[in-house]
Amino acid sequence: MQKEIVVIIGGPGTGKTTIIDGLILKGYCCYPEISREVTMEAKKQGIEQLFLENPLLFSELLLEGRKKQYLNAKIEPHEIVFLDRGIPDVLAYMHYIGDSYPYHFDQACKDNLYTKVFILPPWEEIYVSDDERYENYEQAKLIYNHLMETYKHYGYNLIEVPKDNVQNRINFILNQLN
């Protein structure tokens, strides 16, 4: 069987982390979202919202972290590796804020290809804002649209995960891999 490097994407507050946590409980190899880690590290250095204050630096740090996750996933002994967000997410967020980025961002999307991409649609009933998630629900819907456009630009066929309970969403994803 070919190694599956599967990315789960979606706007903020769509249930990505909950699904990743559920997959971990089932014994799957999963890599967490790293933007919270980058944000928390910046806060320790006195930068309240790095993405808002220096979006290019924030995005550069995310890009490097996600490339590292991809390369690590390739050498995992597991047949399937799930990632909470992928490299094109970085570009989608830059498009969302209307910022430009260096050529190597685009090249990273072309050089590091995922086998499947699952997208979680905006879901107002489960959307919650917190200290690291500053977007409101309307902004989350715009981000979702940018994610769809960006991943499609790189040739991905996005598989939309239905709004359902966590177990059914996980089962849907796993059934798509068989």
Side-chain angles (χ1 to χ4, degrees):
M1 178 177 168
Q2 174 192 333
K3 160 100 56 183
E4 295 269 0
I5 300 178
V6 179
V7 65
I8 299 175
I9 66 168
T14 54
K16 293 178 302 299
T17 303
T18 303
I19 288 172
I20 290 288
D21 290 345
L23 287 164
I24 290 169
L25 287 174
K26 287 184 162 293
Y28 286 94
C29 178
C30 300
Y31 286 24
E33 159 64 284
I34 60 170
S35 67
R36 287 177 184 265
E37 191 180 300
V38 170
T39 301
M40 305 262 269
E41 190 54 44
K43 280 184 177 181
K44 286 181 194 168
Q45 297 171 20
I47 304 166
E48 198 49 40
Q49 270 293 357
L50 182 59
F51 178 68
L52 297 176
E53 293 178 38
N54 191 339
L56 189 56
L57 174 61
F58 179 81
S59 297
E60 190 75 57
L61 293 170
L62 277 186
L63 182 72
E64 290 312 308
R66 292 206 177 118
K67 280 173 32 183
K68 191 177 192 178
Q69 282 186 326
Y70 178 86
L71 294 172
N72 287 339
K74 282 181 75 164
I75 59 172
E76 281 286 348
H78 307 274
E79 289 180 357
I80 304 171
V81 179
F82 291 96
L83 296 113
D84 187 340
R85 294 197 178 276
I87 294 167
D89 283 61
V90 177
L91 283 74
Y93 272 80
M94 294 299 279
H95 298 160
Y96 163 70
I97 64 169
D99 225 340
S100 58
Y101 45 83
Y103 170 76
H104 72 272
F105 278 53
D106 176 61
Q107 195 58 48
C109 293
K110 293 174 181 172
D111 292 344
N112 304 280
L113 301 174
Y114 304 101
T115 50
K116 286 217 170 41
V117 179
F118 291 93
I119 188 162
L120 307 181
W123 191 357
E124 195 164 13
E125 290 74 22
I126 67 167
Y127 183 84
V128 178
S129 225
D130 64 23
D131 287 343
E132 283 87 35
R133 182 182 298 138
Y134 59 86
E135 304 93 352
N136 63 34
Y137 181 70
E138 290 307 310
Q139 291 168 316
K141 288 195 303 190
L142 288 173
I143 291 167
Y144 169 82
N145 291 335
H146 283 287
L147 287 164
M148 293 228 349
E149 287 170 20
T150 303
Y151 275 86
K152 284 180 179 178
H153 171 78
Y154 290 104
Y156 288 104
N157 174 30
L158 303 175
I159 303 164
E160 186 169 302
V161 178
K163 296 175 183 176
D164 204 336
N165 67 48
V166 178
Q167 194 52 59
N168 287 346
R169 292 179 111 189
I170 289 171
N171 289 342
F172 174 85
I173 291 168
L174 294 175
N175 287 336
Q176 296 292 315
L177 297 176
N178 298 330

